[in-house]
Amino acid sequence: MMLVNIAGFLLIAAIVWWFWLYKPKQAALGEDALVIIVENGTYQPSHIRLSSDQAATLTFLRKDESPCAATLLFPDMEISENLPLNQPVTIALPPMPAGEYPFHCQMQMYRGQLKIE
Ligand SMILES: [Cu+2]
């Protein structure tokens, strides 16, 4: 009986962790301006949730010296930006319909995704 209780408790703990506590490098655009750090081969955060049909601005801060990281592309929006080292760059996104839109560096080593919902 005790064992069943423990197993049940562990299961609940796992469910709570999975659904509420575990957030894989994801962020939503809140009140504060969202800053995405470009460093060590990743965008941090790399998955960004936005509301559909609402313009948004994202700020990118590149800390990676590799020249490839300097180019930021949003292929679906035909946005191509140059990110100078250690200087925040603000990107204005037009209102977009719901969907998933990738963004990446020149050679797609850095990858991220906008999730519009
Ligand atoms: Cu690259």
Side-chain angles (χ1 to χ4, degrees):
M1 189 60 192
M2 190 66 184
L3 206 64
V4 173
N5 285 345
I6 290 169
F9 176 79
L10 286 178
L11 184 67
I12 290 165
I15 290 169
V16 167
W17 181 80
W18 181 254
F19 284 103
W20 285 283
L21 303 179
Y22 176 65
K23 295 205 171 85
K25 285 189 279 172
Q26 201 180 62
L29 199 65
E31 300 280 314
D32 306 314
L34 184 62
V35 178
I36 297 149
I37 308 291
V38 185
E39 193 178 28
N40 298 327
T42 57
Y43 296 117
Q44 292 275 2
S46 61
H47 285 61
I48 296 145
R49 278 182 296 137
L50 299 171
S51 303
S52 62
D53 301 319
Q54 253 180 36
T57 56
L58 298 177
T59 300
F60 282 80
L61 180 59
R62 172 184 157 222
K63 294 186 171 177
D64 185 336
E65 287 186 25
S66 122
C68 184
T71 306
L72 173 66
L73 300 165
F74 288 81
D76 297 302
M77 287 140 239
E78 296 184 356
I79 291 175
S80 170
E81 277 287 338
N82 201 46
L83 305 177
L85 201 56
N86 294 317
Q87 272 180 51
V89 172
T90 300
I91 291 173
L93 297 172
M96 288 170 292
E100 291 175 351
Y101 304 89
F103 57 94
H104 53 76
C105 71
Q106 189 118 50
M107 294 176 74
Q108 305 195 26
M109 302 171 316
Y110 281 84
R111 287 162 171 278
Q113 193 182 63
L114 297 178
K115 192 165 187 197
I116 317 276
E117 48 192 21

